[in-house]
Amino acid sequence: VEQAWEPIHHFSTNKISVMVGAIFSPFHAVLAATSGAAYAAPHLARMLKSGDKPFEQIESIQGMIKHYHFSTRITVLHLKTLEQLKACAEIGVFGAIIRDDLYQELTET
């Protein structure tokens, strides 16, 4: 697992943006940010399945990034509902990758 962070650091020091997508806890996000990842992407669907209070964790990640002045931005993966999108927006995440059906719902309203 340690070897996974070395390429992120290498790319970031060479001005190549990297998004780390296997974020399942604040600890993963801090490792990504410390390694120089431009984006950390919490996997909302998996966090919901595990029952780990994902929005509290995403808020914690956002708070740690601000507190430690990391330049890493949060992009949440696999949002399915407007409520999830709203919760992420209220936390202040940089972006979200949403499902097609949610995109259709957003563009129809």
Side-chain angles (χ1 to χ4, degrees):
V1 173
E2 291 176 19
Q3 295 169 345
W5 304 108
E6 291 174 18
I8 297 166
H9 180 70
H10 172 75
F11 287 127
S12 68
T13 57
N14 288 293
K15 308 289 187 229
I16 299 170
S17 296
V18 175
M19 177 165 69
V20 177
I23 303 294
F24 306 120
S25 73
F27 176 71
H28 294 139
V30 169
L31 283 174
T34 302
S35 297
Y39 305 94
H43 195 291
L44 183 64
R46 179 150 176 202
M47 293 168 84
L48 283 166
K49 281 184 182 178
S50 66
D52 291 336
K53 299 181 181 178
F55 296 105
E56 289 179 21
Q57 288 192 56
I58 294 168
E59 191 169 13
S60 176
I61 292 167
Q62 187 76 343
M64 285 189 281
I65 285 173
K66 286 181 181 178
H67 178 78
Y68 292 108
H69 306 288
F70 291 122
S71 60
T72 305
R73 295 180 175 204
I74 303 299
T75 301
V76 181
L77 301 177
H78 300 289
L79 282 86
K80 296 180 182 180
T81 68
L82 285 173
E83 292 79 22
Q84 292 172 352
L85 184 59
K86 181 181 177 206
C88 288
E90 288 173 347
I91 292 168
V93 301
F94 174 75
I97 298 174
I98 62 175
R99 293 173 45 110
D100 288 340
D101 52 345
L102 178 56
Y103 176 79
Q104 290 299 324
E105 185 178 348
L106 286 169
T107 57
E108 290 172 1
T109 55

